[in-house]
Amino acid sequence: MRLLHTMLRVGDLDRSIDFYTRVLGMTLLRRKDYPGGKFTLAFLGYEPEDRAAVLELTYNWGVDRYEIGTGYGHIAVEVEDAAAACAAAAEKGARILRPAGPMSNGSTVIAFIEDPDGYPIEFIQKGTAGWVKEWAE
């Protein structure tokens, strides 16, 4: 078994594709309309689907907004420098939810931004994830 993708419902597919490609540097891997079901799927990622898990964006035609809910957490993306990633995202119009810095009660450097539909995205600075070391022990 392997993880294939994570799906998010979005209110404006083109706006979301723009965010994930322009702000986060993902590649649009494929996109397909399903007229019978009145929805469109777009798959984005940093690597092809046969090599890595990707993000599936689902646009249900005519639905422009979703409630995220209290059970949803966030998407995490590893970055070289969390502060630089935040600055670059902000320059491209992303909203910063939490500036880069060590997480509470830990040494992992994290930051949070928000996508156009309000989904939080965590930047985790490469080499600082304390849980990697702790879990290896």
Side-chain angles (χ1 to χ4, degrees), residues 1-35:
M1 287 189 227
R2 75 178 181 94
L3 183 64
L4 297 177
H5 63 260
T6 296
M7 185 272 270
L8 298 176
R9 290 181 178 90
V10 299
D12 181 328
L13 186 58
D14 291 327
R15 177 187 69 188
S16 294
I17 290 171
D18 177 67
F19 175 85
Y20 284 96
T21 57
R22 190 176 54 82
V23 177
L24 293 184
M26 291 183 180
T27 299
L28 176 62
L29 303 169
R30 61 188 170 102
R31 176 181 176 156
K32 184 174 180 183
D33 293 329
Y34 293 84

Side-chain angles (χ1 to χ4, degrees), residues 95-108:
R95 181 172 169 234
I96 307 302
L97 299 176
R98 179 201 191 275
M103 62 182 270
S104 299
N105 304 307
S107 59
T108 305

